[in-house]
Amino acid sequence: MPIDGAPIVALRGIEKSFGPVQVLRGVDFDLRPGEVHALMGENGAGKSTMIRLMSGAHQPNTGTVEVDGSPVRFAGPGEAKAAGIAVVHQELLLFPAMTVAENIFLGHAPRNGRGLLDWNEMRRKARAILDRLDCPELDVDDKVSHLSVANRQRVEIARALSRDARVLIMDEPTAALAEADVRRLLDVVRSLRSEGVGIVYVSHRMNEIFEIADRITVLRDGKTIDTRDADDVTEAALVSMMVGRDIDQLFPKDTIPLGETVLEVRNLAHAGKVREVSFSVRAGEILGIAGLVGSGRTELAQTIFGVTPATSGEILIDGRPVTVGSVREAIAHRIAYVPEDRAQHGLVRPQTIRENVSMAILNRLTRRGVVDTARETQIAADAIQRFAIRARGPGQVVAQLSGGNQQKVVIAKWLATDPRILILDEPTRGVDVGAKTEIHKLMNQLAAQGLAIIMISSELPEVLGMSDRVLVMNGGRMSAILPRAQATPEAVGSAMMTGHAA
């Protein structure tokens, strides 16, 4: 619904360049009290730079940032926070060894009359903020390192509110959350909106945008394409604005002749988390794995890849039993695994593309303890070209890339090992619609080259759209395996929820 009122914060005619690269081009944006304003665009469209401008991390080359109608020029994030603007980053900026209360009040803890930290007052205020966020299960004295991702995020939000934030910028807040935690987060957003907090909500998840947003602004190539009331725009129109073209088929599944069985698992089990699972995958096949969070999807993948070796059952490659007791053995058997959390387990983000792409094959590039950097650079350059990675070159630091391009680097790293079996765990999580389509096309190309692909996804349309067959997990067990023609949303959904297909 449309929100009235003067903007709390506004960007007017913003231009921003980094050296010769112009990132923002005449951008306009405003946020009103009690509004959820979604900011959308492909990775690389300029969203992150806009966030940094509003939060004081960058200053514009031209144009103005306004707060309450008056131009401001923040010297740094501290001044933006003082003006009531806070950011909840996608990768949470908390101190694991400190308590919940200490993290919430880091840098502005209450003090007593003698100037000493008032620990009781800090705990009391922290408890009051967490109650405001409906988090009774969070103990203010718990170490953050003991918390789930969802509860860490709530601590990050509480930290913003401890500074009386009037503007809360949320950057991909649900990217790493289970569905139940997503629902709770959206309830928090609604509650803050009702209190008059203005929220900038950045997400690639269309269903969330239409559920929570009042207005939507789309960026493309650093320009504001349009701002519309959420009720007045369709998903197809948003996609078209974001990518500059219509995407008739987000899941471009090719029909590929299947070859011989490459991988077979028989009664595979691991420590009660994977329970007697049996299936096979053929050359050229994409086997989708669906299931609710906690169903055993990722655990199954990690057992096949040797992260958590099987406690019973068999793994066969080309019909021959093999032992996969470690990741090293999995790689030796030409199995590759792209993990669901690229930031934590897929990449070393402060390192370059060259260093990341070669990471899994360093033994092949090293002679007498010295890495062949020329060969390493060539492999990275070939990957950049092959996977259309948008980067300045092999020496660019991975942390500087967009989410979609980071994901391509992870895939390139594992394809450098020359696998025959490729496991993709949430291959398009946190990437925009354009990058999703590129990754899906890449999957088709790899299948056409004869790879046996296992794809795990929380997005049911992705599983149904890209899979030749769908394996459904429930409680660590395989509850169904369905050919593409029978893998309807109803059948797969029923197997996910009840343990058997409808």
Side-chain angles (χ1 to χ4, degrees):
M1 58 180 289
I3 301 293
D4 298 324
I8 312 173
V9 63
L11 306 182
R12 309 291 188 195
I14 295 292
E15 308 262 342
K16 181 62 180 177
S17 297
F18 297 96
V21 180
Q22 188 168 6
V23 180
L24 296 179
R25 310 163 187 264
V27 165
D28 294 307
F29 179 86
D30 66 74
L31 177 72
R32 302 164 189 168
E35 173 187 39
V36 177
H37 194 152
L39 181 60
M40 301 191 71
E42 291 192 89
N43 289 322
K47 303 187 301 295
S48 295
T49 303
M50 267 189 63
I51 290 171
R52 294 186 183 108
L53 281 163
M54 284 187 279
S55 62
H58 292 327
Q59 289 75 41
N61 297 116
T62 59
T64 59
V65 178
E66 298 177 358
V67 174
D68 296 325
S70 298
V72 296
R73 189 170 182 86
F74 298 131
E79 291 189 3
K81 290 175 183 176
I85 300 171
V87 183
V88 177
H89 295 278
Q90 183 176 356
E91 286 156 17
L92 304 177
L93 306 177
L94 299 173
F95 290 87
M98 299 175 69
T99 68
V100 168
E102 288 168 338
N103 270 279
I104 291 173
F105 283 98
L106 186 66
H108 63 290
R111 296 182 179 273
N112 59 27
R114 294 180 294 167
L116 301 176
L117 287 178
D118 190 333
W119 294 98
N120 289 332
E121 181 66 3
M122 181 169 67
R123 293 187 185 96
R124 186 191 67 78
K125 287 186 172 182
R127 181 72 266 158
I129 295 170
L130 293 172
D131 288 344
R132 178 182 171 189
L133 295 175
D134 190 25
C135 301
E137 74 279 14
L138 269 175
D139 188 328
V140 297
D141 292 318
D142 274 350
K143 293 284 182 66
V144 164
S145 60
H146 300 159
L147 304 182
S148 66
V149 172
N151 279 331
R152 292 185 189 194
Q153 188 176 67
R154 292 174 186 122
V155 172
E156 186 85 62
I157 296 171
R159 181 159 71 176
L161 297 180
S162 74
R163 292 181 177 271
D164 298 321
R166 299 185 298 145
V167 173
L168 190 61
I169 302 170
M170 308 185 79
D171 186 7
E172 293 287 355
T174 62
L177 298 187
E179 184 60 30
D181 292 322
V182 171
R183 308 317 313 166
R184 286 195 65 184
L185 177 69
L186 295 183
D187 287 342
V188 168
V189 171
R190 293 186 184 94
S191 176
L192 295 175
R193 174 172 58 187
S194 70
E195 296 176 13
V197 176
I199 297 167
V200 180
Y201 195 91
V202 181
S203 177
H204 295 303
R205 297 185 175 184
M206 293 282 188
N207 59 325
E208 291 174 18
I209 295 298
F210 284 106
E211 181 174 348
I212 203 70
D214 300 295
R215 286 191 296 161
I216 302 171
T217 290
V218 175
L219 292 185
R220 186 174 76 240
D221 297 329
K223 300 177 182 178
T224 304
I225 300 303
D226 203 356
T227 297
R228 297 190 190 177
D229 291 336
D231 292 340
D232 297 335
V233 66
T234 65
E235 181 173 330
L238 273 183
V239 170
S240 180
M241 284 191 283
M242 288 166 62
V243 302
R245 63 189 186 279
D246 292 327
I247 295 184
D248 297 324
Q249 190 178 18
L250 186 58
F251 309 107
K253 180 75 175 81
D254 293 342
T255 301
I256 296 167
L258 303 185
E260 298 297 320
T261 297
V262 178
L263 171 71
E264 183 179 2
V265 301
R266 297 176 181 170
N267 300 316
L268 200 68
H270 170 74
K273 296 181 179 179
V274 178
R275 307 182 182 196
E276 299 184 338
V277 174
S278 300
F279 67 90
S280 62
V281 193
R282 296 167 65 182
E285 181 178 23
I286 299 176
L287 176 71
I289 298 185
L292 302 175
V293 172
S295 63
R297 301 171 308 175
T298 293
E299 290 81 1
L300 174 61
Q302 292 180 342
T303 299
I304 295 170
F305 192 58
V307 177
T308 53
T311 49
S312 63
E314 285 186 298
I315 297 176
L316 298 89
I317 296 178
D318 295 328
R320 299 175 183 174
V322 298
T323 299
V324 185
S326 67
V327 170
R328 185 184 298 273
E329 288 184 351
I331 294 172
H333 291 305
R334 298 178 68 186
I335 305 172
Y337 173 51
V338 176
E340 63 176 326
D341 189 338
R342 61 176 174 266
Q344 292 294 320
H345 305 125
L347 297 167
V348 180
R349 296 176 72 250
Q351 292 189 343
T352 64
I353 297 172
R354 172 178 60 81
E355 291 165 320
N356 274 277
V357 169
S358 66
M359 196 172 295
I361 56 168
L362 273 179
N363 61 321
R364 304 179 194 175
L365 303 176
T366 303
R367 186 174 183 181
R368 296 178 180 175
V370 178
V371 176
D372 184 345
T373 54
R375 177 65 180 142
E376 190 182 39
T377 300
Q378 185 59 54
I379 290 170
D382 291 345
I384 289 171
Q385 182 176 11
R386 178 184 179 188
F387 304 118
I389 298 170
R390 296 176 187 173
R392 293 191 297 270
Q396 185 167 358
V397 171
V398 164
Q400 298 171 350
L401 303 178
S402 67
N405 286 305
Q406 289 186 24
Q407 186 71 350
K408 291 179 185 178
V409 172
V410 183
I411 294 172
K413 177 181 84 171
W414 285 109
L415 289 180
T417 66
D418 189 29
R420 297 183 61 216
I421 300 158
L422 177 63
I423 305 171
L424 299 167
D425 197 347
E426 302 286 4
T428 63
R429 170 176 285 173
V431 306
D432 60 64
V433 290
K436 278 188 177 184
T437 302
E438 290 178 1
I439 291 171
H440 292 152
K441 288 179 178 177
L442 174 60
M443 290 170 60
N444 281 328
Q445 293 168 10
L446 297 172
Q449 293 168 15
L451 267 72
I453 298 175
I454 298 172
M455 179 192 69
I456 301 168
S457 177
S458 297
E459 296 187 30
L460 188 55
E462 182 171 55
V463 172
L464 300 180
M466 290 303 300
S467 303
D468 294 291
R469 289 184 299 151
V470 177
L471 185 157
V472 186
M473 295 290 291
N474 179 287
R477 300 183 185 276
M478 184 181 76
S479 59
I481 189 162
L482 303 166
R484 183 178 178 86
Q486 297 176 20
T488 63
E490 295 76 17
V492 175
S494 175
M496 288 167 60
M497 298 293 293
T498 67
H500 54 84

